[in-house]
């Protein structure tokens, strides 16, 4: 039986990577066969691409950025996501195609039709079974990003965007959530790590409970 594909989305600093790690630990304790991954950088090629176009100070043309996120995704779908789902595993990815819609579409201003076409090419139409959107105010996210850079955690080119940029990205995510209410769950990500974790575990337990994964 095909596994389940779950994605975590949110603006930078929404706390989704922290929650993804904690959820994976919780599911493993419950003997769920779970694999965690991320975009960009879920495969060896993806990690090299990530370093080359994201963890760099070189100016990257917006169209190159759009195509590189898509290239990373194509490799990820083909060699990690599809095989793991074929083995019946639960795949949880820190970001997927919705991020391109939000960041390159609303953030960088590429037309929706162009973005959709490129996403379709990269994914072959594959969609997550469930997407959690970690909804944090732009103000709180910027605060967290600032403290992240002060504590010396790795930052990238996208961590230095303006409040307006993140406001547009957040609105784009909320628009997808409205369009696809069956796939999307919105989680208030302004609270404490423990509060958010409780909400995540509740949603995931309910979701996987309807499948044979739990
Ligand atoms: P994302 O992956 O969404 O960018 P992270 O999980 O890396 O977010 O969290 C961003 C920063 O905020 C990190 O320094 C992390 O330790 C901190 N953080 C995560 N969750 C919370 C929370 N609920 N409250 C306060 N700080 C948090
Ligand atoms: P990452 O360090 O993984 O950030 P975070 O932990 O906040 O998710 O960096 C990924 C960055 O790339 C993040 O700013 C979002 C951006 N991004 C896009 O712009 N488009 C995309 O399609 C994807 C997958 C990510």
């Amino acid at each position: 039986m095909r596994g389940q594909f779950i994605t975590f989305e949110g603006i930078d600093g929404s706390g989704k990577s922290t929650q993804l790690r904690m959820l994976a630990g919780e599911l493993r304790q419950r003997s769920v066969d779970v694999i965690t991954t991320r975009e960009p950088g879920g495969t060896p090629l993806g990690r090299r691409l990530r370093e080359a176009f994201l963890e760099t100070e070189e100016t990257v043309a917006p169209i190159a950025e759009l195509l590189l996120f898509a290239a990373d995704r194509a490799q990820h779908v083909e060699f990690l996501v599809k095989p793991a789902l074929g083995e019946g595993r639960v795949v949880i990815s820190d970001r997927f195609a919705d991020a391109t819609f939000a960041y390159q579409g609303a953030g960088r201003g590429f037309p929706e039709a162009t973005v959709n076409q490129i996403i379709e090419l990269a994914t072959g139409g594959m969609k997550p079974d469930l997407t959690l959107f970690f909804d944090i105010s732009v103000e709180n996210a910027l605060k967290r990003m600032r403290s992240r850079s002060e504590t010396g955690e790795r930052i990238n080119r996208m961590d230095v965007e303006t409040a307006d940029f993140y406001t547009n990205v957040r609105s784009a995510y909320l628009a997808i959530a409205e369009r696809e209410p069956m796939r999307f769950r919105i989680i208030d990500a302004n609270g404490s790590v423990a509060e958010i974790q409780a909400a995540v575990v509740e949603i995931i337990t309910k979701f996987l409970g309807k499948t044979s994964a739990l």
Side-chain angles (χ1 to χ4, degrees):
M1 191 184 155
R2 181 184 174 279
Q4 296 295 323
F5 185 28
I6 300 172
T7 58
F8 279 22
E9 299 282 357
I11 62 174
D12 298 66
S14 61
K16 64 189 162 35
S17 310
T18 303
Q19 293 298 331
L20 194 149
R21 269 195 305 278
M22 290 169 47
L23 175 66
E26 171 77 26
L27 291 177
R28 285 187 184 119
Q29 272 193 352
R30 298 196 210 167
S31 304
V32 177
D33 186 6
V34 58
I35 176 168
T36 62
T37 183
R38 73 162 166 177
E39 286 194 3
T43 62
L45 173 62
R47 284 188 277 284
R48 286 197 286 158
L49 289 175
R50 182 186 168 97
E51 237 174 76
F53 83 99
L54 203 58
E55 291 164 4
T56 175
E57 282 174 15
E58 181 175 351
T59 305
V60 179
I63 183 67
E65 178 186 277
L66 172 64
L67 294 170
L68 284 159
F69 278 120
D72 167 76
R73 181 162 307 127
Q75 185 80 357
H76 190 214
V77 166
E78 187 66 24
F79 293 110
L80 191 143
V81 180
K82 267 197 204 160
L85 293 177
E87 290 164 11
R89 309 183 73 183
V90 173
V91 179
I92 312 179
S93 184
D94 194 339
R95 301 192 183 281
F96 191 64
D98 297 316
T100 303
F101 181 84
Y103 280 79
Q104 280 62 53
R108 300 276 189 242
F110 279 103
E112 202 173 314
T114 307
V115 173
N116 285 341
Q117 203 178 4
I118 287 173
I119 289 175
E120 177 72 26
L121 268 176
T123 62
M126 163 176 277
K127 281 210 159 198
D129 298 296
L130 181 74
T131 298
L132 303 193
F133 174 57
F134 290 81
D135 191 21
I136 189 171
S137 69
V138 171
E139 195 190 344
N140 280 343
L142 289 173
K143 265 191 220 151
R144 285 189 200 169
M145 275 187 257
R146 267 196 295 274
S147 71
R148 181 157 69 174
S149 63
E150 277 158 18
T151 57
E153 279 180 60
R154 241 175 156 173
I155 60 165
N156 63 61
R157 283 193 306 110
M158 314 294 280
D159 284 336
V160 296
E161 292 296 342
T162 61
D164 279 354
F165 178 89
Y166 288 114
T167 302
N168 289 338
V169 172
R170 173 171 178 260
S171 303
Y173 275 126
L174 290 171
I176 315 175
E178 203 164 304
R179 255 199 332 258
E180 299 188 51
M182 297 294 282
R183 173 165 74 89
F184 256 73
R185 302 282 186 285
I186 300 175
I187 292 181
D188 182 351
N190 294 290
S192 70
V193 170
E195 281 165 351
I196 302 167
Q197 190 197 10
V200 171
V201 169
E202 190 185 333
I203 290 169
I204 297 292
T205 303
K206 219 185 243 170
F207 175 76
L208 291 180
K210 292 189 202 135
T211 71
S212 58
L214 196 70

